[in-house]
Amino acid sequence: MVSAVTDAHGHGKDRGQDHGHDHHGPAKGWRRWLYATNHKDIGTMYLVFSGLMFFIGGTMALVIRSELFTPGLQFVAPNVFNQMTTMHALIMVFGAVMPAFVGLANWMIPMMIGAPDMALPRMNNWSFWILPAAFSILMSTLFMPGGAPAGGWTMYPPLVLQTGDAFPFLIFSVHLMGLSSIMGAINVIVTIINMRTPEMSLLKMPMFVWTWLITAYLLIAVMPVLAGAVTMLLTDQFFGTSFFLAAGGGDPVMFQHIFWFFGHPEVYIMILPAFGVVSEIIPTFARKPLFGHDSMVYAASSIAFLSFIVWAHHMFTVGMPLTGQLFFMFATMLIAVPTGVKVFNWTATMWKGAMTFETPMLFSLAFLFLFTIGGFSGLMLAVVSSDIQYHDSYFVVAHFHYVLVPGSIFGIMAAVYYWLPKWTGHMYNEKLGQVHFWLSTIFVNVTFFPMHFLGLAGMPRRIPDYSTQFTDFNSIASIGAIGFGISQLLFVYIVVQCVRKRGSRASDTVWENPKGLEWTVPSPAPYHTFTQPPHVGAGAAFS
Amino acid sequence: MPGANSLALRLLAMALGMFGFGFLVLPPLYSVFCEITGLGGKTNQTAAVVAEAPDQGRSVKLEFVTAVNAYAPWEFHAGSDGMEITPGALYDTTFVAKNLANRSKIAQAVPSVAPQQAAKYFKKLECFCFTTQEFAAGEVKQMPVRFIVDSDLPAHIDTITLSYTFFDTERVSDASADLSHETAHERHSIH
């Protein structure tokens, strides 16, 4: 460890000249970004893009919550409301959460494994720059005759085939998002497998790298299946096939099977990197090594495997034989075992630790607690007999928002607070960070907890108007949503201030004795790091 | 350990393979799976042998449901509200459809049986759903179904629902253009 520190400090600045390259600084102006091949630049672009999408998708969520503040139709027509639910989901899933994790992977994976850059930097450039194109196409549909897709993000036929002019644009943008994700995933795997510093064996890799490796394999396995499913929709609509059209011998239910064969691994694609993030943060602020590093790896791998055999729990109500329902119910419940291993390992990491509660730790603790609530409501939904009652109700909305907002998004925010000083060389404003944390945590619960009650009381999801007995909880949820949305402006302010170097200077280690190679390089991390493979030091640091 | 490029190519091949799996393998696999298990209420069972001893003393209620897919300009209903049948015996019934469009149309009826466990015991010897049905403008057709319910039908099943949905074989987008508006309120006639 010590040798790595001196290595990076002593020669980091002039290593570029050692190799006789004199163009190693970033290019000037727009070329730096459009032609970017540096993993840090591309990571930054991913994160900024994801933030932008987070606010666009969030604005759509606020349209939804404003409409639902009181019963009756206030602000938008039902068709616009449906467009908002559909686009909110597509933008948040493919535009905000996934690119944010790819951005973190770009920034951190090379620095955590001692690699100079990602393995395939030009493909890296492509996989980012496809995204703005994909989302421009998707969002342009808002201005088309017939409006944006309104049949739900799951794109079930035959409803989705009634989308107007937007339909082919929807399909094409999903294709592009898939391409981007697959290229990103290939890059992550090749980087991790081929570019680790020689002393780092697979089981010595930090957890964030491990969870991303597993996520990348999931992406390669399922994003093409989604591409296949939407291609079938396209050919059904325009080329006379009948994959999902009953008249021609097809079956619309088959789409649901194929979609959720993609869709369930997809939910782990969105949570596994967050597992990795909190597995980095909790040991730092508990000042103890991660409890059960290897069991965490096996648990994440088990979750990834199980995610392929549980898809039909999304569609218990299509009518399926009892044996099928039982299989998918028990397989789903089985996922609680490796997930429980992780939750208990995080808890055990904190046991008797010398804990402090800086913002990244607060977000990680909220993640641990609130994600587990989402996990428990997931177990309730796994029970076939009760799922028939909960299906397509607000209970489902409450469940997946609990795992996605205080789950994935809190994981992303924790990661940003944790590594931002390393990226910028300056501390963020800790006091404001904590204010942001408490506002977010309170409002996220005010928003989504009442939705459990709404769902259990029978309020269906995806409706712009509702029966009057649901008014109170809907109003509370809407107030929470507006509060949560405004709180995120504070997040932007904190990040921008930190990027503008308004905070105190960050030391190279930033936190008190954190483990990992990323803390052995200077703060801010130089444009090029680890052009020579570093020494890992004592293996104990990572296990 | 493979080199970076060969690993990248292998991963790319994996992605292409998964696309092929989703696009080319899953749909036929799904059909075969449904046919073997009788899932999805698929009832394309045709009986080869009809010489079965009717299970006298057992009576099963058969109900009919008819529906017309959106944009398909037909009036479609069952000839009777339902019937009492004995497993193992041969029956005939009739469905009636009228083409409401002012030009000839080709329809395809898609059958489904509920509960699903009954699907594989419900065997049709003759059905208007076996082929497409051509209708002249305004034509009314009586369409026969000849079927037998296998006497192995599980004892707990006392009611079977046979449903047909009528589809226009032309594309939805074409059909919506010439859909005569008088059919709008009669798209779903359920008996």
Side-chain angles (χ1 to χ4, degrees), chain A residues 509-532:
Chain A
T509 51
V510 181
W511 312 107
E512 191 186 334
N513 195 23
K515 307 295 181 221
L517 289 173
E518 75 266 36
W519 308 110
T520 66
V521 302
S523 299
Y527 200 58
H528 293 283
T529 40
F530 297 129
T531 44
Q532 300 292 327

Side-chain angles (χ1 to χ4, degrees), chain A residues 371-384:
Chain A
F371 174 79
T372 305
I373 291 179
F376 281 138
S377 58
L379 277 177
M380 292 171 72
L381 287 163
V383 180
V384 175

Side-chain angles (χ1 to χ4, degrees), chain B residues 14 30 40 44 92 121 142 152 165:
Chain B
M14 199 169 136
Y30 179 83
N44 297 327
D92 288 291
Y121 302 99
Q142 306 277 331
D152 292 336
T165 307

Side-chain angles (χ1 to χ4, degrees), chain B:
Chain B
M1 189 192 294
N5 286 338
S6 84
L7 179 60
L9 285 176
R10 270 193 243 172
L11 293 168
L12 185 68
M14 199 169 136
L16 291 175
M18 286 309 289
F19 181 83
F21 174 71
F23 191 78
L24 300 172
V25 179
L26 277 181
L29 194 67
Y30 179 83
S31 298
V32 170
F33 186 77
C34 288
E35 237 149 73
I36 292 172
T37 58
L39 290 183
K42 294 223 172 180
T43 61
N44 297 327
Q45 313 270 344
T46 46
V49 184
V50 290
E52 270 194 82
D55 186 355
Q56 300 299 349
R58 183 174 175 201
S59 174
V60 175
K61 197 170 159 200
L62 181 65
E63 297 176 332
F64 301 119
V65 172
T66 59
V68 178
N69 186 246
Y71 308 123
W74 273 279
E75 193 179 285
F76 176 44
H77 55 86
S80 64
D81 287 349
M83 52 205 290
E84 291 287 330
I85 58 163
T86 302
L90 197 60
Y91 291 93
D92 288 291
T93 187
T94 311
F95 286 76
V96 185
K98 181 184 181 192
N99 178 9
L100 298 172
N102 50 14
R103 62 185 183 85
S104 66
K105 281 275 182 189
I106 299 171
Q108 170 72 59
V110 174
S112 180
V113 167
Q116 283 168 4
Q117 297 102 299
K120 69 176 182 186
Y121 302 99
F122 194 96
K123 295 174 174 174
K124 297 188 286 294
L125 284 82
E126 193 183 329
C127 177
F128 59 95
C129 60
F130 289 168
T131 55
T132 51
Q133 300 289 324
E134 194 165 355
F135 286 78
E139 185 184 352
V140 180
K141 259 191 170 179
Q142 306 277 331
M143 301 175 296
V145 180
R146 169 172 287 194
F147 63 91
I148 184 168
V149 176
D150 200 308
S151 45
D152 292 336
L153 182 76
H156 68 274
I157 297 176
D158 55 8
T159 307
I160 297 175
T161 306
L162 173 63
S163 101
Y164 285 102
T165 307
F166 237 52
F167 288 90
D168 189 342
T169 55
E170 292 170 50
R171 290 294 134 196
V172 168
S173 50
D174 300 339
S176 61
D178 57 14
L179 169 65
S180 47
H181 49 266
E182 77 264 25
T183 66
H185 62 284
E186 282 182 321
R187 261 179 228 154
H188 295 277
S189 56
I190 294 172
H191 293 258

Side-chain angles (χ1 to χ4, degrees), chain A residues 340-352:
Chain A
V341 167
K342 291 184 118 15
V343 169
F344 283 116
N345 279 354
W346 290 320
T347 313
T349 305
M350 293 185 284
W351 175 251
K352 291 188 175 175

